[in-house]
């Protein structure tokens, strides 16, 4: 069954063009579009279908992408939000991520890159291209918790060495010679110890504490 997507963009021509592109992907379909965040909220209130993924523009009238991402995080955290924008500045990327976006892609990306990004988002729960990851890591100074006094096992350290790579958890399990469930146990233990919430948080923690390289 195809993953369902809603496009939120005030430019109708762009939204329709994206809809046509995505509907040609094997694993995804656009179920409807909204013109801005408030229009999306109104459609939800009118019992329109809740999608699995939302592709969200940033610059929109009435209710922009920043406000919409925050509203979705607070009201529909099960929806995976990916920013799809022309804005590639540090402030926009960091603010969207802080507001709950699980991915970031530029509108001038190739359709194949969009399909790959959606697949990664659906499978891993997040997607950030290299340029966005560098922004995240460079702005993460002082945001990770100290490891002083907290015990980290050698296997957890090994897991952290892979956390900032593009490997899936299944692929990390293969590299570590264990089951995916065991890898998930390392992830869950580290998240609990250091109050981390996402794969991005783990990656930032690993890099800032010397367990992984950029």
């Amino acid at each position: 069954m195809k993953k369902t997507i809603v496009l939120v963009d005030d430019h109708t021509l762009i939204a329709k063009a994206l809809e046509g592109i995505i509907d040609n992907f094997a694993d995804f379909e656009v179920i409807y579009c909204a013109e801005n965040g408030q229009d999306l909220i109104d459609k939800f209130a009118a019992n329109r279908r809740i999608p699995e993924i939302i592709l969200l523009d940033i610059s929109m009238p009435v209710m922009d992408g920043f406000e919409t991402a925050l509203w979705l995080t607070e009201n529909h955290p099960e929806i995976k939000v990916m920013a799809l924008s022309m804005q590639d500045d540090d402030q926009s990327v960091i603010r969207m991520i802080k507001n709950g976006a699980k991915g970031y892609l530029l509108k001038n990306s190739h359709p194949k890159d969009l399909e790959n990004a959606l697949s990664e988002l659906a499978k891993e729960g997040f997607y950030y291209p290299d340029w966005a990851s560098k922004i995240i890591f460079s702005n993460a100074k002082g945001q990770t918790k100290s490891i002083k006094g907290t015990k980290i096992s050698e296997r957890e350290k090994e897991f952290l060495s892979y956390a900032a790579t593009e490997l899936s958890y299944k692929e990390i399990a293969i590299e570590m010679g264990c089951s995916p469930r065991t890898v998930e146990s390392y992830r869950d233990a580290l998240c609990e110890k250091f109050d981390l919430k996402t794969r991005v948080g783990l990656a930032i923690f690993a890099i800032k504490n010397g367990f992984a390289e950029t």
Side-chain angles (χ1 to χ4, degrees):
M1 184 176 294
K2 290 188 175 185
K3 299 290 185 181
T4 55
I5 294 176
V6 164
L7 301 174
V8 183
D9 195 313
D10 62 313
H11 295 97
T12 304
L13 287 176
I14 292 177
K16 289 299 181 183
L18 281 169
E19 183 177 0
I21 291 171
I22 293 170
D23 283 345
N24 282 321
F25 295 162
D27 299 321
F28 302 95
E29 63 174 338
V30 176
I31 54 177
Y32 57 89
C33 302
E35 294 182 357
N36 54 62
Q38 186 58 56
D39 186 32
L40 178 70
I41 293 172
D42 292 343
K43 283 180 166 58
F44 282 0
N47 294 319
R48 295 293 295 270
R49 188 176 174 188
I50 303 298
E52 295 166 272
I53 296 171
I54 286 180
L55 289 182
L56 182 62
D57 190 19
I58 293 179
S59 298
M60 298 180 293
V62 184
M63 186 173 180
D64 64 20
F66 299 119
E67 296 174 278
T68 306
L70 186 59
W71 185 89
L72 287 166
T73 298
E74 293 174 346
N75 293 275
H76 291 278
E78 75 280 6
I79 299 176
K80 298 179 177 69
V81 177
M82 176 179 286
L84 187 61
S85 174
M86 291 302 297
Q87 299 185 36
D88 61 356
D89 59 285
D90 291 19
Q91 184 178 5
S92 295
V93 174
I94 296 301
R95 187 177 174 190
M96 282 299 290
I97 292 170
K98 285 183 176 179
N99 284 10
K102 298 298 189 294
Y104 205 107
L105 197 65
L106 296 179
K107 284 186 176 180
N108 61 2
S109 299
H110 191 279
K112 189 63 180 176
D113 292 331
L114 173 58
E115 185 175 17
N116 290 339
L118 289 171
S119 296
E120 194 70 15
L121 181 67
K123 181 175 69 172
E124 296 295 333
F126 74 98
Y127 174 80
Y128 303 105
D130 289 343
W131 66 268
S133 295
K134 289 177 181 178
I135 291 174
I136 296 168
F137 295 142
S138 66
N139 282 269
K141 293 180 180 179
Q143 295 182 16
T144 54
K145 297 201 171 185
S146 170
I147 64 173
K148 186 177 180 180
T150 303
K151 185 177 180 180
I152 302 178
S153 72
E154 291 302 315
R155 290 293 272 175
E156 287 174 343
K157 291 177 182 178
E158 184 179 358
F159 166 74
L160 285 170
S161 72
Y162 293 110
T165 70
E166 295 182 353
L167 295 176
S168 67
Y169 287 130
K170 184 176 180 180
E171 291 168 335
I172 291 174
I174 293 172
E175 293 294 324
M176 293 183 65
C178 61
S179 70
R181 186 176 295 277
T182 300
V183 164
E184 291 173 1
S185 72
Y186 297 143
R187 177 200 63 195
D188 294 344
L190 288 163
C191 285
E192 183 175 354
K193 288 178 184 179
F194 300 102
D195 193 25
L196 302 171
K197 305 297 184 184
T198 65
R199 173 81 182 259
V200 172
L202 276 168
I204 293 172
F205 176 85
I207 289 172
K208 293 303 176 183
N209 288 286
F211 296 109
E213 299 179 356
T214 55

